[in-house]
Amino acid sequence: MSKNLSELSGRKGLEKNLFEELGIAARAAGTPNKEDIDILAEEFLMGKANIYGTTSFYDFLRPENKGKKVYVCNGSACLTAGTQNKLKEQLQGSFDANEIGEMCCLGRCHENNAFHVDGHNYSGDAINHLKDVKDKVYPIQEKYHSGALGKAILTQPIGEVKSYYQTWEKALNSGPDALLAELKIAGLRGRGGAGFPIGFKLESAKNTPSKTKFIVCNADEGDPGAYSDRYLLEERIHSVLLGMMIGGYIMGAGWGVLYIRAEYPESITITNQAIKEIRTLGFIGNDIFGSGFSFDFKVISAQGAYICGEETALLSSIEGQRPEVRVRPPYPTQHGLFNKPTVVNNVETLANIPFVISEGGAAFAAIGKGKSTGTKLVSLDGFFNRPGIYEVEMGTPLSQVIDTCGMGFRSKVKAMHIGGPLGGLVPVSKINDLSIDFETFASQKFLLGHASIVCLPEGFPIIDYIEHLFQFTAHESCGKCFPCRLGSTRGYELVKGAKENNASIDPVLFDDLITTMEIGSLCALGGGLPLPIRNALQYFSDELNPYFQTH
Ligand SMILES: Cc1cc2nc3c(=O)[nH]c(=O)nc-3n(C[C@H](O)[C@H](O)[C@H](O)COP(=O)(O)O)c2cc1C
Ligand code: SF4
């Protein structure tokens, strides 16, 4: 990343944002035209090549997106459900082939058949009502089950908005130190994958002197199979906003930025409406309740790039730079957005904060298991009898999630990909060894991640799934480091060659490849992909052996 470009982009602050301007410029044709790029380069004092470099990175800005009218979900859940090809065929009855693009996971994993048209997502039976969809008379809001097993923190209805924000008044009266202490007592850890305690990040940013600071909500939920952040944005947005406000107050941030993926258009609309509502109620703005603290929100619509979920790539993205992962240190809490102290947290992490402050850190810490305190949202895909979003106390056996929440599988399943594309591939034989918490998953050499579950049915070839994972990583790699940039593509070629041309894979070469990715990648995209691949090699060797040479 370039610190100079961060400064240049930051000159206009968040009010006029370069990345947002690129999205606006792309609206008419699907990609910004050359004149727009030239104007923006001049306005932001950046090189045209920098702006073009950004544009060419994103699925919804790059020139190849020109003229696309409808997008098919290419996420893992729609893949294993086998709905994508038929969906494309049906769409070809109403659209030219070159008008049909792809989007990565629309978060409709509970009923599959997902596609996006005219700024809205559809799934399930919608494809059979394409005329109504095109005429804009088909219902946009889908239905899926949600509920809690045990204590409900995140799925608990918030009730009347004004009363809910009494916690905000309480927080402003308590002062930052007392609030930070409660978060530390709660032991609240990040829900976006890494499980890092939020208290430490807020404290680090709080202790970094700067007039300008930011708290950023990472709502780029790119993990195919996960739609729990979407649930929170669309059903519990006030918990997310209040969490950001309290976090912002603790660290001294004047701005809360919500970076929401474009694949979730309804989430963006609902978030904007909620911000408007609390601005009218006087909960945000200047000198809130005469406290001397001022805070406001900015919503940024992402443009289709999985890597922007990685927190430093996300910051570069907001700055309008090409979203390459940044080398740490310095950490975002010291040099973050526009080089200012910034805390980035996941939607679910932030949504837990109001409970911690209203009920106390000890009440939160009393829920869960060991160092995994509180609850976790789990996303169940369409292979369950009752797919949906379930809140379970940390430590809940996986078998209970499957049987009690999901009411079992609706057809025979051989494995579950848990925690996104970089999570472990869990064979059904391991179900009884796992419970929903960070430690148990790690001890069994899997990853809790975002706790999304994508099922692989009995008939879905594991080799196809491995191919999909390499292809996904190759497409989403930011290109900053060679092990990931080259390794993902070489891995894809090897697997594809073995499948299509009987070119048996050399197992030593293959192991070298994934070991290099594992130890040599800068971030967890290249570094994390080998986990599910190794799981597949370990648990499904019978299926995979025919594709490998025997020495
Ligand atoms: C390739 C990659 C993708 C990621 N995607 C997301 C994401 O979509 N949402 C998220 O909250 N964190 C994601 N993360 C993790 C973030 O980098 C970061 O750890 C997180 O936003 C911090 O918030 P938390 O502490 O509340 O979890 C991703 C990390 C990597 C390496
Ligand atoms: S591992 Fe991949 S995504 Fe991460 S920095 Fe390297 S090239 Fe970029």
Side-chain angles (χ1 to χ4, degrees):
M1 69 132 184
S2 159
K3 283 195 176 154
N4 292 342
L5 293 178
S6 299
E7 289 294 332
L8 287 172
S9 175
R11 275 170 60 247
K12 291 181 189 283
L14 283 166
E15 278 89 355
K16 183 149 191 192
N17 176 262
L18 172 58
F19 182 57
E20 196 169 42
E21 293 299 315
L22 285 168
I24 294 167
R27 257 181 220 157
T31 185
N33 61 38
K34 191 181 164 304
E35 291 72 38
D36 291 327
I37 291 178
D38 291 353
I39 292 168
L40 285 170
E42 199 161 314
E43 191 174 348
F44 283 84
L45 305 179
M46 289 193 193
K48 290 173 194 173
N50 292 110
I51 311 274
Y52 183 77
T54 299
T55 307
S56 61
F57 190 93
Y58 293 91
D59 286 353
F60 312 137
L61 295 181
R62 59 169 58 124
E64 294 87 330
N65 191 49
K66 202 170 179 174
K68 296 284 182 280
K69 291 196 175 148
V70 60
Y71 300 84
V72 175
C73 172
N74 64 12
S76 310
C78 281
L79 173 81
T80 61
T83 63
Q84 292 160 336
N85 289 342
K86 183 148 182 275
L87 191 62
K88 276 185 194 159
E89 272 171 31
Q90 282 178 273
L91 287 170
Q92 276 172 10
S94 300
F95 296 89
D96 284 348
N98 57 10
E99 290 175 339
I100 303 174
E102 289 188 355
M103 276 192 176
C104 179
C105 194
L106 298 176
R108 296 293 187 103
C109 320
H110 55 93
E111 56 182 11
N112 311 117
N113 269 306
F115 64 103
H116 177 108
V117 64
D118 279 336
H120 293 294
N121 291 340
Y122 300 90
S123 50
D125 196 37
I127 185 64
N128 298 321
H129 303 272
L130 203 48
K131 187 177 173 312
D132 287 352
V133 169
K134 287 182 87 175
D135 292 345
K136 300 190 175 46
V137 291
Y138 195 81
I140 289 164
Q141 209 57 38
E142 93 278 36
K143 286 197 184 71
Y144 57 87
H145 203 87
S146 62
L149 193 68
K151 177 77 185 166
I153 294 177
L154 299 163
T155 52
Q156 179 75 19
I158 66 148
E160 208 245 330
V161 171
K162 229 169 156 181
S163 313
Y164 186 68
Y165 279 87
Q166 280 171 4
T167 303
W168 182 219
E169 291 195 58
K170 178 182 164 184
L172 291 173
N173 288 329
S174 306
D177 291 332
L179 298 172
L180 184 60
E182 288 304 325
L183 282 176
K184 285 189 171 178
I185 292 168
L188 174 58
R189 293 169 65 185
R191 303 307 200 230
F196 193 79
I198 185 172
F200 289 104
K201 285 208 286 206
L202 288 172
E203 188 171 38
S204 169
K206 178 176 186 286
N207 293 339
T208 309
S210 175
K211 271 210 297 215
T212 310
K213 299 183 187 181
F214 301 96
I215 183 160
V216 176
C217 173
N218 186 343
D220 198 41
E221 187 171 58
D223 284 356
Y227 54 106
S228 45
D229 286 350
R230 180 167 80 82
Y231 162 81
L232 290 170
L233 294 168
E234 294 174 11
E235 304 291 337
R236 297 289 181 272
I237 182 60
H238 287 293
S239 302
V240 182
L241 297 180
L242 182 52
M244 291 181 73
M245 289 152 70
I246 296 171
Y249 177 58
I250 292 173
M251 64 179 277
W255 279 101
V257 185
L258 292 116
Y259 185 91
I260 308 179
R261 60 200 303 258
E263 292 86 343
Y264 289 177
E266 287 82 19
S267 302
I268 295 174
T269 307
I270 290 168
T271 303
N272 277 316
Q273 281 163 354
I275 292 171
K276 208 167 152 197
E277 185 180 3
I278 57 170
R279 190 175 290 122
T280 310
L281 289 168
F283 298 144
I284 52 173
N286 285 329
D287 190 17
I288 305 160
F289 304 139
S291 63
F293 179 65
S294 303
F295 189 84
D296 215 324
F297 284 106
K298 173 84 182 176
V299 175
I300 304 262
S301 164
Q303 295 296 338
Y306 175 73
I307 196 55
C308 291
E310 195 284 332
E311 60 179 6
T312 61
L314 185 152
L315 297 175
S316 291
S317 175
I318 300 176
E319 292 171 358
Q321 296 198 55
R322 203 171 159 86
E324 285 182 355
V325 171
R326 299 177 180 182
V327 177
R328 280 155 289 198
Y331 291 94
T333 54
Q334 276 113 32
H335 287 268
L337 183 59
F338 308 132
N339 294 332
K340 306 293 182 205
T342 304
V343 165
V344 183
N345 273 114
N346 169 254
V347 177
E348 188 175 332
T349 317
L350 294 161
N352 274 301
I353 295 180
F355 177 91
V356 173
I357 302 307
S358 69
E359 307 299 316
F364 188 88
I367 305 161
K369 181 179 167 193
K371 287 187 176 164
S372 297
T373 56
T375 62
K376 182 76 199 81
L377 293 181
V378 182
S379 315
L380 300 187
D381 77 355
F383 277 100
F384 289 88
N385 283 314
R386 200 173 58 166
I389 298 295
Y390 296 92
E391 179 172 19
V392 300
E393 294 185 9
M394 287 279 198
T396 302
L398 177 60
S399 59
Q400 228 180 319
V401 172
I402 295 169
D403 297 333
T404 312
C405 301
M407 299 177 82
F409 301 118
R410 71 173 160 77
S411 60
K412 215 159 181 326
V413 159
K414 63 181 169 191
M416 289 170 290
H417 199 180
I418 304 184
L422 315 174
L425 195 61
V426 179
V428 285
S429 60
K430 293 292 283 181
I431 289 174
N432 290 331
D433 296 330
L434 292 168
S435 57
I436 303 295
D437 57 88
F438 296 113
E439 286 73 27
T440 310
F441 266 71
S443 73
Q444 292 291 321
K445 304 221 175 335
F446 297 116
L447 191 89
L448 180 63
H450 212 34
S452 51
I453 305 187
V454 171
C455 295
L456 273 73
E458 203 50 54
F460 194 93
I462 294 289
I463 192 80
D464 286 4
Y465 200 69
I466 294 185
E467 183 188 25
H468 162 66
L469 293 178
F470 272 118
Q471 188 179 26
F472 174 84
T473 307
H475 179 74
E476 302 296 347
S477 169
C478 82
K480 174 102 168 183
C481 67
F482 287 170
C484 167
R485 173 167 138 189
L486 301 179
S488 54
T489 300
R490 292 292 97 84
Y492 173 60
E493 288 165 356
L494 284 174
V495 175
K496 197 173 157 61
K499 265 181 61 185
E500 293 176 4
N501 310 322
N502 291 327
S504 293
I505 302 168
D506 178 342
V508 177
L509 180 79
F510 194 74
D511 188 65
D512 272 0
L513 179 86
I514 54 178
T515 303
T516 306
M517 289 182 74
E518 214 163 36
I519 59 179
S521 295
L522 179 60
C523 87
L525 180 55
L529 175 73
L531 174 69
I533 306 286
R534 286 198 195 285
N535 294 150
L537 292 169
Q538 179 181 354
Y539 296 111
F540 296 96
S541 54
D542 286 356
E543 238 190 270
L544 293 177
N545 279 346
Y547 298 96
F548 284 83
Q549 293 164 12
T550 45
H551 285 287

